Amino acid sequence: MLSMLHKLRHAHLSPLPPWPSAGGLALLALFIILFWFLTFPLKQGFDLNNIILETVVLVVALVAHAFILRLGITLLTGGWGLLLGSLLLGLLGEFTQESRQWSTLVERILEILGLALIAFGFYRSQRLLQTQLKKTQAKETRSRHLAQYDALTGLPNRILLQDRLAQSMAETLHSRQQLALLFLDLDRFKDINDSFGHEIGDAELIRVAGVLHGCVGPTDTVLRIGGDEFAIIQTHILDADEAALLAQRILGAIAEPHRLQGHKIHNNVSIGITLFPSDAPTAKQLLKNADIALYHAKHEGRNNYQLYMPDINARAHSRVALAKDLQSALESGDLHLQFQPQLDLTSGRTVSFEALLRWRHPQHGMLARQTFIRLAEETGLIIPIGAWVLEIACQTCFSWQQFHSGPLQVAVNLSPRQFRQPDLAGGIAAILERTGLSPPSLEVEITEGLLIEDMDSALKTLQSLSTLGVRISVDDFGTGHSSLTYLKHLPLDSIKIDRSFIHDIPEEIESRAITKAIIALGHSLNLEVVAEGVETQEQFLYLQEYGCDRVQGYFISKPLNAPRAQKWWQEKG
Ligand SMILES: Nc1nc2c(ncn2[C@@H]2O[C@@H]3COP(=O)(O)O[C@H]4[C@@H](O)[C@H](n5cnc6c(=O)[nH]c(N)nc65)O[C@@H]4COP(=O)(O)O[C@H]3[C@H]2O)c(=O)[nH]1
């Protein structure tokens, strides 16, 4: 090594050879090996182009070895220790040329110094390697964290669920206790997102994550396993009661009304619970059970929890199949509308029809409305189905109006999910435009409960519908435990007294009092009052006597198919 450095120094003294001599080539080979040895670790993570460039630079630099030490081309390689060592040796080579009388001792010292600098280059490259390794490890840890944890809430995600579950199951087996797996699904998250935007939606998810953390014990795990789905692994419990207690705590905490960026938010959650080892021996089966129990909770009207029971499995399966059938029912024409007349009590004429959805299932025949409409609402199918109902109802009403000159309206029920669509009024305006129906000929019916849930956004939607000129009616009035003050703030046209009050008049004193009060209240607010579910002549006469404006019910007519309703309208309109 020393002799080679010596040769390197003396290369300055002789004229530059046209091509490297054998010694030069040996030196070149040595430097290449040395260079690669010293800087190879640094190249990990460099791109191929850089490595090729560096190698070319090095080869050129070494071939022109007479200049290499001065030119400092190796600067580009990043091997600082190597460069400095070589540079110093080169400079000193020149120096020794002029002062050959300097002792060999000085030469030796300088050679040692050169070697020390090369060693420094090596040391430095190792340090750089360590830093690089640390950076790579940190990057790997970060990307592993990103893959396994939800970026928004910081909770473990679905990928970690299996892992954590398996770990907790193993611990539970040893402890001879039980473990509960809870699946949670927010009932109103889509509506929050649609009504207030994604920023508030995100803030709500973060709030929920915090609430869940506040409810669980220190050894339990909270995970976010989907958009609005969370899971909890509750460990060290003795029986289902402990899981139920946790679920109750969560239901109460999530339902707490709160404000996010000035918006009043109401949210609920449905929870499905299954236990290990009592419900299932494997993680796969546990996950399935929790899913089934959650589905059951949703079916039971949301905002509740359900413990897994083997028989809900079969029911859940049939609902999944039914949801699939409902999806294809729109295209296959299995859905149709019936129309129930509404009678004006002053004129005695039919002035409106309520459009009611029917589904004749190819295998199961006519299906119960409440069941399949709830299913449509839960699955989101109510959006396309509701739009179809509006379209057909408007089309039908417009075509009837062409046959008869009397005033005619059609009333269409809007489900909560439909009502919370971002541009409901725009969608309805387009349907009116397409079908040719004038806006006042369409009445939309919304439930009282829907208004109470979120007054602020309901008011905005109602205002846009009212601006469009569509009539607005509050269905099932009297059942929603609402504050009556909201009535005067909303742009309503009519209220429909709930069937349950009409059912008990004239016999029951309370129902009579409520019916009379609703009629008086409606009139004092300038609203039209409609009674639904009128089944008897007594009810009809009572309502007429107390000034109800319109009646609807089996006493007048059951819901009719479109041709029969048209005939009815031509005769009684
Ligand atoms: N016992 C009794 N019942 C009477 C009488 N007169 C009418 N009805 C029934 O009362 C319901 C009136 O509709 P609703 O209160 O809006 O209640 C509706 C409404 O909330 C919903 N619904 C029906 N069609 C649609 C629709 O197209 N979209 C949405 N979102 N909901 C719908 O399903 C509910 C039930 O509808 P239907 O089963 O068709 O039941 C209809 C109708 O057949 C009567 O004298 N006695």
Side-chain angles (χ1 to χ4, degrees):
M1 180 69 173
L2 288 178
S3 66
M4 256 176 275
L5 290 169
H6 183 75
K7 272 187 198 164
L8 175 68
R9 276 201 324 269
H10 284 82
H12 291 268
L13 299 173
S14 45
L16 197 63
W19 191 253
S21 61
L25 282 174
L27 188 68
L28 169 69
L30 179 78
F31 264 84
I32 290 176
I33 293 164
L34 198 62
F35 174 81
W36 275 97
F37 174 68
L38 291 181
T39 59
F40 179 75
L42 294 178
K43 290 178 174 44
Q44 294 177 357
F46 286 12
D47 73 18
L48 189 65
N49 289 343
N50 263 350
I51 294 175
I52 292 169
L53 183 71
E54 279 175 39
T55 311
V56 169
V57 168
L58 180 75
V59 169
V60 171
L62 289 175
V63 167
H65 63 275
F67 304 109
I68 177 182
L69 305 172
R70 262 189 260 158
L71 295 178
I73 293 171
T74 47
L75 249 178
L76 294 170
T77 68
W80 281 94
L82 185 61
L83 168 72
L84 286 176
S86 305
L87 193 58
L88 196 63
L89 274 177
L91 288 172
L92 290 169
E94 277 185 20
F95 176 71
T96 51
Q97 181 192 7
E98 281 154 25
S99 350
R100 285 200 166 272
Q101 67 273 41
W102 278 50
S103 72
T104 350
L105 180 67
V106 174
E107 272 184 45
R108 290 272 183 275
I109 292 171
L110 293 174
E111 280 171 3
I112 289 166
L113 196 61
L115 280 173
L117 284 168
I118 289 174
F120 172 71
F122 177 70
Y123 162 76
R124 196 176 165 279
S125 74
Q126 294 307 308
R127 284 294 300 271
L128 282 173
L129 171 69
Q130 277 171 12
T131 320
Q132 178 112 347
L133 277 177
K134 271 189 200 150
K135 273 190 198 157
T136 317
Q137 274 167 0
K139 219 163 135 189
E140 268 172 19
T141 316
R142 223 177 21 251
S143 50
R144 205 176 320 122
H145 191 275
L146 279 181
Q148 298 182 332
Y149 288 81
D150 167 44
L152 182 70
T153 58
L155 294 177
N157 63 18
R158 191 178 273 279
I159 296 174
L160 268 191
L161 176 62
Q162 294 273 1
D163 206 46
R164 296 281 167 97
L165 189 58
Q167 208 177 315
S168 306
M169 283 167 71
E171 283 167 17
T172 304
L173 279 180
H174 283 119
S175 69
R176 292 169 182 270
Q177 289 178 325
Q178 296 250 30
L179 165 159
L181 175 65
L182 291 84
F183 271 7
L184 303 93
D185 190 294
L186 298 178
D187 296 335
R188 308 275 310 276
F189 183 66
K190 192 179 176 307
D191 300 332
I192 292 172
N193 246 349
D194 289 349
S195 315
F196 305 115
H198 287 266
E199 209 183 314
I200 304 271
D202 284 356
E204 177 61 5
L205 288 172
I206 294 170
R207 180 193 83 96
V208 169
V211 166
L212 296 181
H213 255 305
C215 291
V216 298
T219 56
D220 303 340
T221 310
V222 181
L223 306 99
R224 181 177 173 212
I225 56 169
D228 60 352
E229 293 163 16
F230 293 81
I232 293 174
I233 303 169
Q234 186 191 20
T235 51
H236 307 304
I237 59 168
L238 294 176
D239 52 30
D241 285 352
E242 286 187 55
L245 264 177
L246 171 64
Q248 276 163 9
R249 251 197 329 269
I250 293 172
L251 286 173
I254 298 285
E256 199 73 37
H258 54 285
R259 282 192 174 271
L260 289 175
Q261 297 179 18
H263 298 281
K264 201 164 171 200
I265 310 285
H266 296 264
N267 204 352
N268 294 124
V269 67
S270 301
I271 306 173
I273 307 171
T274 187
L275 296 192
F276 170 80
S278 55
D279 287 344
T282 64
K284 194 175 166 200
Q285 190 58 45
L286 269 185
L287 294 168
K288 208 167 151 192
N289 288 356
D291 228 6
I292 291 168
L294 173 62
Y295 197 87
H296 186 50
K298 289 261 173 206
H299 183 220
E300 287 301 302
R302 295 152 190 255
N303 194 25
N304 74 106
Y305 71 87
Q306 294 293 327
L307 290 156
Y308 171 78
M309 281 176 293
D311 75 311
I312 60 175
N313 203 343
R315 271 188 282 161
H317 275 310
S318 69
R319 277 179 65 78
V320 171
L322 204 61
K324 271 195 195 148
D325 293 349
L326 183 56
Q327 196 151 19
S328 47
L330 246 185
E331 293 114 54
S332 58
D334 291 336
L335 297 180
H336 67 277
L337 295 185
Q338 286 195 339
F339 297 88
Q340 187 175 32
Q342 256 183 30
L343 199 78
D344 181 277
L345 277 176
T346 317
S347 66
R349 304 178 83 95
T350 294
V351 287
S352 182
F353 285 90
E354 180 179 0
L356 295 160
L357 183 61
R358 302 287 182 257
W359 179 16
R360 186 183 295 282
H361 191 281
Q363 278 92 47
H364 309 306
M366 285 298 263
L367 292 182
R369 260 76 70 192
Q370 294 297 11
T371 314
F372 79 78
I373 286 170
R374 186 152 58 173
L375 185 66
E377 179 76 2
E378 281 167 12
T379 53
L381 282 169
I382 197 71
I383 302 294
I385 291 176
W388 178 85
V389 171
L390 273 163
E391 183 102 25
I392 300 297
C394 292
Q395 224 174 57
T396 310
C397 184
F398 180 75
S399 71
W400 291 348
Q401 285 174 344
Q402 311 312 305
F403 286 104
H404 196 64
S405 59
L408 179 67
Q409 292 161 353
V410 68
V412 174
N413 289 282
L414 292 186
S415 82
R417 206 153 175 170
Q418 260 180 297
F419 184 72
R420 293 191 201 104
Q421 280 176 97
D423 188 22
L424 178 68
I428 292 182
I431 289 173
L432 290 170
E433 173 106 31
R434 262 201 305 279
T435 56
L437 191 73
S438 67
S441 301
L442 174 66
E443 182 166 77
V444 290
E445 291 190 7
I446 51 173
T447 59
E448 191 184 8
L450 210 152
L451 296 175
I452 305 158
E453 277 168 15
D454 190 349
M455 185 73 162
D456 297 344
S457 69
L459 182 61
K460 275 192 206 137
T461 308
L462 291 181
Q463 270 160 351
S464 54
L465 288 173
S466 168
T467 308
L468 183 64
V470 166
R471 284 172 55 89
I472 301 163
S473 170
V474 178
D475 208 358
D476 307 337
F477 190 81
T479 57
H481 313 290
S482 61
S483 137
L484 296 179
T485 50
Y486 80 87
L487 276 181
K488 68 173 187 221
H489 297 301
L490 299 175
L492 304 175
D493 297 282
S494 73
I495 48 178
K496 270 180 123 172
I497 310 173
D498 189 64
R499 239 192 343 261
S500 57
F501 302 118
I502 307 300
H503 184 263
D504 296 328
I505 56 171
E507 294 84 15
E508 203 190 270
I509 187 161
E510 288 87 1
S511 291
R512 278 206 318 261
I514 291 171
T515 304
K516 265 201 288 191
I518 294 177
I519 294 171
L521 175 82
H523 287 165
S524 68
L525 292 169
N526 226 3
L527 299 174
E528 204 157 54
V529 182
V530 184
E532 64 178 350
V534 180
E535 292 180 346
T536 65
Q537 190 173 22
E538 290 77 24
Q539 290 165 351
F540 181 91
L541 292 174
Y542 185 88
L543 290 162
Q544 199 169 36
E545 187 184 342
Y546 284 95
C548 186
D549 302 293
R550 294 183 187 184
V551 286
Q552 174 185 344
Y554 294 166
F555 179 65
I556 293 103
S557 165
K558 287 203 163 182
L560 306 165
N561 63 29
R564 287 184 59 203
Q566 184 184 356
K567 198 159 172 272
W568 174 283
W569 153 243
Q570 280 167 342
E571 287 165 7
K572 305 189 175 165

